[in-house]
Amino acid sequence: MGIDQKLLDELERRQTEALASGGPAPIAKRHAQGRLTARERLEALYTPHTFQEFGLHAQHATRGFGMDKKSLPTDGVITGIGFVDGRPVAGFSQDFMIAGGSLGSVHAHKICDLMDHAARAGMPLIGFNDSGGARIQEGVESLSGYGQVFNRNVLMSGVVPQIAVICGPCAGGAVYSPALMDFLIMTRHSASMFICGPEVIRAVTGQRTTMEEIGSAEAHARDSGNIHFIAEDDRHALEIVHRLLGYLPSNNMSDPPHQPGVEITLSDDLGLEALIPEDPKAPYDVKDVIARLADADSFLEVQREFAQNLVVGFARIDGVVLGIVANQPHVKAGTLDIDASDKGARFIRFCNIFNIPLLTLVDVPGFLPGVAQEKHGIIRHGAKMLFAYGASTVPKITVIMRKAYGGAFLAMCSRDMGADLVLAWPTAEIAVMGAEGAVGVVFRREIEAAEDKDAERTRLIDEYRAKFSSPYMAASRRLVDEIIEPGDTRRYIASALEQLQSKTELRPTKKHGLIPL
Ligand code: HXC
């Protein structure tokens, strides 16, 4: 009676073979380079002993073109489900030790099956990318496999969070699966990502470049804006994944993991007042303001290295998860430019999808003036901010700290763009344009005719500031709900988040709007 031992032995033999991956020597080599194996990455992602693998025995039968003697256990990708902080999360991890982690049809189907499962069950998807790209020996089947993965990335977008970790090569068309996901994390020394590498660029265009310049984590974090976080190594990447998941709901039908009941102080914060310089032109670091408004150590900045004139990230206030969008007066005087608009709009849309309320901190003198900005489409890109705020239905709270000028103020979620609550500090200047510009336009001739031109200009600027840009003027016209002392801001926000928890806003049915891309 009982199961035939031979069957169990056969299962164990096959499992051991598949789990061996590239074998002891290649594994030791990876460890010596400070890198984890594909399986170790998943093990470190999940709570111990919760990982349930799918498709350990899957592998492609195609032979020829140098493949006859190769064994491809798992077909070069490990897929399955495990638990993170008590919630199920789907994960796949490409195994570079198996045919360079290259993607053939079985490899692609394993990922697709996992994606379908994640979408059906409503759980986040995490993908570790470490691959030589399309498996050359499988020809167009590989191309088709990529197409099926990309299509699922799109179908899942807005349904469950998708996070890509680039921890090895990721080149050519293969970059587009991570690019279609919500957050990209790249390890600093072992990862690269590019469409055409330096050799191809040189052969086709004659331009000389390096991988460091076009495909490194630093280049993508700082210049292209393609990624959201740089990790020092695999373990750091996993820390970032864990931290990020801590702010995200499992799917678009759930609330983010708020932590109500955490003991929080909501007393006056006089230190906040001291942060804002007396001189309205003097810069300050908005991250100091965020640190004082958010619960202790709760701010996770997203895209820290890119478009630093706008700061975005997740935080908690009184335990409630929220997304923060803030002008940074420290960089480019906090103006909105093309990159900042792209960064902000993407973050706002992510928060809206996943029911994360938005806090907007405004100190914006306008859109960045310049020929390059106009030529490269600041109109189209700036419009993304307007579109993203206008289209979002999550609770939206706006705090005007200092400057809120012109169209850029509307692009920072003014009342008219759908803010549920607009608070202003007494230092706020809310105006159709800055005082210097306004006086120059309206009183140019009078200033020219004046005996003491400078004195006349200063007098007019002071008059404009007092009459046309004071927060009381804006409040009298209902652009501002309340003018508050900075020290009270945290309390007001906490209370608003509580009140707005059950906010519902229905929009006309449509396929989708046309965000200015
Ligand atoms: C099949 C591959 C492979 C691939 C690597 N290998 N890439 N096998 N298809 N695409 C295999 C190698 O033959 C080798 O097998 C093992 O993986 C390790 O590769 P190495 O070259 O020894 O490793 P390394 O020196 O670290 O170099 C890594 C690499 C390099 C930079 C990624 O392997 C490389 O350039 N690979 C080819 C990249 C590429 O051109 N991919 C196809 C692009 S077309 P053995 O048996 O010797 O250990 C594409 C289109 C996608 O991706 C379109 C999607 C829309």
Side-chain angles (χ1 to χ4, degrees):
M1 288 294 281
I3 191 165
D4 184 346
Q5 187 56 38
K6 275 195 224 137
L7 295 178
L8 293 177
D9 291 345
E10 170 71 358
L11 174 62
E12 194 184 336
R13 184 188 65 75
R14 284 176 179 263
Q15 281 172 338
T16 309
E17 219 173 271
L19 291 171
S21 179
I27 291 177
K29 193 173 154 199
R30 284 183 83 79
H31 287 167
Q33 294 164 341
R35 302 166 80 177
L36 298 176
T37 65
R39 191 168 290 282
E40 286 165 346
R41 286 171 180 151
L42 285 178
E43 279 165 2
L45 169 68
Y46 293 123
T47 304
H49 314 300
T50 64
F51 179 56
Q52 190 185 342
E53 186 161 353
F54 300 155
L56 180 71
H57 306 285
Q59 66 173 292
H60 200 274
T62 301
R63 288 294 177 241
F65 203 59
M67 293 292 273
D68 302 274
K69 295 195 184 91
K70 287 190 183 178
S71 147
L72 302 180
T74 71
D75 211 64
V77 64
I78 302 162
T79 57
I81 312 282
F83 281 74
V84 178
D85 284 333
R87 295 189 296 169
V89 171
F92 71 84
S93 184
Q94 293 182 309
D95 188 347
F96 193 81
M97 289 182 291
I98 307 297
S102 56
L103 182 143
S105 68
V106 170
H107 182 121
H109 280 126
K110 282 182 71 175
I111 296 175
C112 289
D113 287 347
L114 181 77
M115 293 170 96
D116 292 343
H117 189 90
R120 276 195 306 268
M123 64 179 84
L125 174 76
I126 317 292
F128 294 90
N129 296 262
D130 189 355
S131 165
R135 186 172 300 153
I136 291 160
Q137 295 88 339
E138 291 191 36
V140 291
E141 273 192 88
S142 306
L143 197 59
S144 161
Y146 271 118
Q148 293 180 42
V149 173
F150 298 171
N151 196 30
R152 280 171 176 78
N153 285 131
V154 176
L155 294 174
M156 290 172 80
S157 180
V159 179
V160 294
Q162 301 182 70
I163 300 172
V165 182
I166 319 291
C167 38
C170 183
V175 299
Y176 284 113
S177 176
L180 289 165
M181 294 170 86
D182 300 315
F183 292 101
L184 285 80
I185 301 164
M186 204 168 161
T187 49
R188 191 184 291 279
H189 301 295
S190 45
S192 59
M193 192 167 58
F194 53 89
I195 295 280
C196 298
E199 289 99 60
V200 174
I201 292 178
R202 190 172 160 202
V204 177
T205 70
Q207 291 173 302
R208 283 168 192 274
T209 184
T210 60
M211 189 58 77
E212 196 52 36
E213 187 183 1
I214 57 156
S216 65
E218 204 139 306
H220 286 302
R222 191 193 51 218
D223 304 331
S224 71
N226 284 330
I227 69 164
H228 302 85
F229 300 94
I230 300 184
E232 295 309 317
D233 54 23
D234 288 346
R235 293 223 176 258
H236 185 213
L238 283 152
E239 269 174 41
I240 297 171
V241 172
H242 283 147
R243 184 119 198 255
L244 194 49
L245 284 173
Y247 295 97
L248 311 184
S250 294
N251 55 62
N252 63 339
M253 303 299 277
S254 315
D255 283 331
H258 302 305
Q259 293 173 347
V262 179
E263 205 179 301
I264 302 287
T265 11
L266 285 173
S267 53
D268 289 2
D269 179 3
L270 299 177
L272 208 46
E273 275 152 47
L275 282 179
I276 305 294
E278 229 171 88
D279 174 0
K281 281 191 175 156
Y284 58 92
D285 189 346
V286 80
K287 289 186 206 173
D288 292 338
V289 175
I290 294 171
R292 299 198 83 100
L293 291 178
D295 295 352
D297 300 321
S298 74
F299 183 55
L300 175 65
E301 188 173 356
V302 173
Q303 288 197 300
R304 186 172 56 198
E305 295 80 4
F306 183 64
Q308 296 182 5
N309 39 334
L310 192 78
V311 174
V312 303
F314 301 105
R316 285 189 164 81
I317 290 187
D318 204 11
V320 176
V321 172
L322 76 167
I324 298 180
V325 180
N327 304 118
Q328 172 59 290
H330 221 36
V331 181
K332 296 183 185 169
T335 49
L336 283 179
D337 61 0
I338 288 173
D339 285 348
S341 302
D342 281 4
K343 171 178 169 177
R346 181 182 169 111
F347 183 73
I348 294 159
R349 281 175 82 77
F350 178 85
C351 289
N352 189 51
I353 289 165
F354 290 109
N355 312 314
I356 298 172
L358 284 162
L359 169 65
T360 307
L361 301 176
V362 185
D363 189 347
V364 68
F367 287 102
L368 180 70
V371 176
Q373 289 291 309
E374 298 293 335
K375 278 176 91 161
H376 292 114
I378 182 64
I379 296 175
R380 182 175 77 250
H381 293 277
K384 290 177 192 172
M385 289 288 283
L386 293 162
F387 198 106
Y389 273 125
S392 60
T393 55
V394 288
K396 289 175 279 188
I397 301 163
T398 299
V399 178
I400 305 169
M401 303 178 296
R402 221 167 50 167
K403 299 181 182 71
Y405 292 164
F409 167 45
L410 306 190
M412 290 300 292
C413 202
S414 66
R415 147 65 35 84
D416 301 291
M417 290 307 301
D420 297 293
L421 180 73
V422 180
L423 303 169
W425 291 354
T427 42
E429 293 175 39
I430 303 149
V432 67
M433 66 191 294
E436 284 86 352
V439 165
V441 170
V442 179
F443 294 111
R444 187 165 45 89
R445 283 195 196 86
E446 286 81 347
I447 292 171
E448 272 165 18
E451 220 167 275
D452 186 342
K453 295 184 182 38
D454 285 346
E456 181 60 2
R457 184 180 294 110
T458 307
R459 189 188 68 74
L460 287 165
I461 286 174
D462 287 347
E463 186 184 334
Y464 179 89
R465 282 221 173 96
K467 277 199 186 151
F468 295 109
S469 66
S470 109
Y472 302 99
M473 168 69 160
S476 75
R477 299 295 186 274
R478 298 174 51 255
L479 269 74
V480 165
D481 292 297
E482 195 54 71
I483 301 168
I484 61 168
E485 289 180 29
D488 283 337
T489 313
R490 194 173 137 78
R491 189 168 37 217
Y492 266 89
I493 296 169
S495 153
L497 288 171
E498 179 78 34
Q499 297 156 28
L500 289 165
Q501 239 173 40
S502 52
K503 176 186 173 187
T504 44
E505 197 179 316
L506 297 176
R507 300 284 173 99
T509 309
K510 57 183 168 183
K511 256 188 184 172
H512 54 75
L514 184 56
I515 187 160
L517 295 172

